[in-house]
Amino acid sequence: MENISRRGLLLGGLAAAGGLAEFAAAGPPIGPGNGHGNGTPSLKHATGDKKNWDVIVVGAGAAGIGAARRLTDQNPGLRVVIVEARDRIGGRMYTDRTSMGIPVERGCELVHGGPYAPTYPWIEQAGFDLRMFQHNYIRLADAPASSASSQWHQWDSPSSWLFPLGIPEGLVQYDPAGQNLPLPAALPGEKADAYLRRLGVTATNTPSGLIYELTDDSEPLYNTAATRAVGPLRDCIRYTLHPDQAPEPEILDPNDPRYDDGDYKIIGGYDQLLRYIAGDVPVMLRTVVEEVDYTANGVELRTSKGTMSAKRVVFAVPAGVMKRRDIAFTQGLPAAKWAAFDAFTYSNIFKCVLEFKDKVFTPNGGDDWGYAESMDHFPTTLWNASIAHTRYKGQVIVGWETGAAARELHALPLEQKYQAVLEVVRRSAGDHGLKYHKAVMTDWANEPYSWGPYGSGGSSADMAATVDGVLYWAGMRTSTVSSSYTSGVTQADQLLRGL
């Protein structure tokens, strides 16, 4: 899934944990090759023998499509096919075009980094309508109405540093621009919420910006190490007491290269991107790879639709699929590779999509907002999934949560999950009578061929290591569309060098 940490992802955040650092965009973005058109991928584009290929790519997500496109662009003579277990391309990119009044994303949704994303050259070439999440807000919903923290504000605006009930007197001595005593050290195993309470900062008096910095697309305070709270707390103390020393708020501007590295949405469906990249590469849908027999001379795949063979195979499936041993390897795989898969763990991600018949929530007075986060509610984050759909009279709002809070939300019965998101929308909109029109979500942890959203753990080098010069591995533990696409290109280039 794409949407993991917004601008925080670009600065580190969960990127390394989720695997983005494996294929960081060092150097210029990897753009389109020979400009193949936007054909609908299917097996009808294949010519000749449909059982024997030069390269078979297993998995039609961003990594697999990226690998196949690169192979055919760099060597048009290669006979390349993608096999996909689902009845659609995309993997954890799942654009649902039937459930609601507009296409909605059940999986990854946003292009992180905009013009700096490796997939951006394709977006630009295709001419997709790409809109930035430019107007983003946070607040403390349960703060007193008289407090600036209770109003929607930017995460790093002056309001975000303030203690809603006033700075506790005992914190003044820790002012970096004043007495500058060191904050007490965190105790072994102490969590951030307990540490703050120990210093006299109650749950109702915690600055919104502090919560945002510690928990945004991560764990809630009760599951965050106390050591992480020390720096942000000192900032809040300083900027509360010395507002003139606070940094200027972050600027987001899609038209200014200094400020355009935020989150963007492709209007009309994210799957348009993968369809465009795939072009006329043949794809065999509903084809489950069950067993692999390989030697240094080639590979044989036993699938739900019969046996296929190739000189090389690129496996572009999630690490969780390998961890479950969903694909058997007759000759086995190196122990280090299995160990890497076994060490992989999925993150807890909750994403629920609600559709309303009207524009029910407009925090800035319009429908051009991106994120709206109540830092003291769960799910914390709402985002505007119907942004820029000017002819659409309704509104689609996503409820998003991560970490332990996401796990707790997933433990609820389905209708209660919907209700949990609805309650946050009601509170955010100030209308407790709101009702949603339709609701959908995908439990990626139990979705076959994924078994989870994204995760971390295990050696990325061992996961990606080529086996016997014939088995290549892409997208094993990547966490965004861009990083998955880049991993596919990387493995394709390695494969081409080995031919």
Side-chain angles (χ1 to χ4, degrees), residues 52 66 72 77 90 115 119 175 222 228 240 269 273 278 307 317 386 468 477:
N52 299 288
T72 56
T119 53
D175 176 15
Y222 61 78
R228 293 190 53 218
T240 294
L273 173 61
T307 300
V317 298
S386 51
D468 277 9
R477 59 195 287 272

Side-chain angles (χ1 to χ4, degrees), residues 110-111 128-134 254 262-267 368 387-390:
L110 301 172
V111 181
F128 295 135
D129 186 357
L130 193 68
R131 299 298 181 90
M132 187 186 210
F133 271 23
Q134 189 173 2
D263 290 345
Y264 293 74
K265 181 176 175 66
I266 296 178
I267 307 305
D368 62 344
I387 190 171
H389 283 270
T390 54

Side-chain angles (χ1 to χ4, degrees), residues 392-406:
Y392 175 60
K393 295 182 179 179
Q395 188 173 38
V396 176
I397 297 176
V398 169
W400 170 266
E401 192 54 80
T402 59

Side-chain angles (χ1 to χ4, degrees), residues 209-257:
L210 186 150
I211 303 174
Y212 179 91
E213 283 200 56
L214 293 180
T215 67
D216 188 48
D217 288 330
S218 185
E219 294 284 352
L221 288 177
Y222 61 78
N223 209 35
T224 297
T227 51
R228 293 190 53 218
V230 176
L233 178 58
R234 285 179 67 85
D235 288 341
C236 290
I237 295 169
R238 178 173 186 168
Y239 302 146
T240 294
L241 297 172
H242 309 280
D244 58 304
Q245 297 182 17
E248 290 295 319
E250 178 183 55
I251 297 172
L252 296 173
D253 187 349
N255 300 311
D256 189 328

